[in-house]
Amino acid sequence: MSVDRDVVRGRIVAAASELLATGGPDAVTTRAVATAAGVQAPTIYRLFGDKDGLLESVADTVFAEYVDAKQVGHETDPIRELQDSFLAHIRFGTRNPGLTAFFADPLRPRSATEEKGIAVLRQRVHRVALAGRLRIPEERAVALIRAIGNGTVLALIESPEPERDSPLVENSWEALAAILLTDAADRADQQTRAAALRLRADDTALAALSPAERMLMREWLDRIAGA
């Protein structure tokens, strides 16, 4: 791709990003983007194929910057890191309502950038499991965090910013933490499940077993954890 082509593509994506931020996906029409970017409509079709292709590029560009900033730490407290990540997701979603509306379409295939973001979340949940603080299986925890996080964002952006229920974010995290996390006051059965999930997550500890034994051990640990 030539430099000029890169420049034009970047200008189109920037114009579409602004329209998406201010008016949502419906505002990103070929005509509006072409006018804002100072190009002819056929240029957009040539570079992006159609409106959906343009929206995908815009979403990937904006979301990639957010995902790239979500580094998983190894010295930080895994619970604090998970909470901070949850709150950051809420902030990003409410500040980018147009992008949120685009991502909310359940029939749209996930992009590689979205998959990368989910992979980061899995790493954070895995760290909580290794710390012996996870109450439910990792994949279920990831699904629950995404469901509550995305639902909270959608509930917030339904209202104008001055009218939003600000305690909803804190309440959402508290409800999520009560389901996800164990503490010292938990009953013995909950602590046993957390220990099973911790061992299941510990690849180093299970490395002494053969692949078949690891598969069987994880099946047993899933049963203990009530997966």
Side-chain angles (χ1 to χ4, degrees), residues 14 37-38 52 55 60 62 65 77 83 90 94 99 107 124 135 168 181 189 191 196 205 208-209:
D52 288 342
L55 278 170
D60 267 359
V62 177
E65 295 174 0
D77 173 47
Q83 181 180 8
I90 304 298
T94 53
L99 200 61
L107 301 180
R124 290 204 165 105
R135 188 192 296 267
L168 179 63
L181 306 176
D189 61 330
Q191 294 175 357
L209 304 176

Side-chain angles (χ1 to χ4, degrees), residues 40-171:
Q40 299 297 315
T43 303
I44 295 176
Y45 291 115
R46 187 171 66 252
L47 292 176
F48 301 96
D50 55 17
K51 175 183 173 179
D52 288 342
L54 175 58
L55 278 170
E56 287 285 355
S57 294
V58 170
D60 267 359
T61 299
V62 177
F63 195 58
E65 295 174 0
Y66 166 66
V67 171
D68 288 344
K70 290 167 65 70
Q71 300 297 324
V72 177
H74 296 286
E75 304 301 327
T76 57
D77 173 47
I79 307 299
R80 172 62 64 182
E81 185 179 53
L82 185 63
Q83 181 180 8
D84 288 347
S85 176
F86 179 81
L87 298 177
H89 176 78
I90 304 298
R91 286 194 299 272
F92 178 82
T94 53
R95 290 172 182 172
N96 297 274
L99 200 61
T100 297
F102 176 72
F103 284 140
D105 180 0
L107 301 180
R108 184 187 58 80
R110 285 201 298 257
S111 68
T113 303
E114 290 172 88
E115 293 290 0
K116 182 179 178 182
I118 295 171
V120 172
L121 175 58
R122 286 196 180 99
Q123 291 178 52
R124 290 204 165 105
V125 170
H126 188 66
R127 290 192 69 225
V128 174
L130 286 173
R133 295 291 308 279
L134 194 63
R135 188 192 296 267
I136 64 176
E138 291 182 47
E139 281 304 312
R140 191 179 304 157
V142 169
L144 188 62
I145 293 167
R146 295 184 62 232
I148 292 179
N150 293 338
T152 300
V153 172
L154 291 173
L156 288 170
I157 65 175
E158 284 179 352
S159 303
E161 189 168 355
E163 300 173 17
R164 288 176 184 169
D165 181 11
S166 54
L168 179 63
V169 178
E170 183 178 353
N171 294 157

Side-chain angles (χ1 to χ4, degrees), residues 206-226:
L206 297 181
L209 304 176
S210 70
E213 289 170 336
R214 284 197 295 272
M215 183 180 300
L216 184 58
M217 176 62 78
R218 286 196 166 105
E219 181 181 340
W220 288 342
L221 292 169
D222 281 341
R223 291 185 192 176
I224 294 171

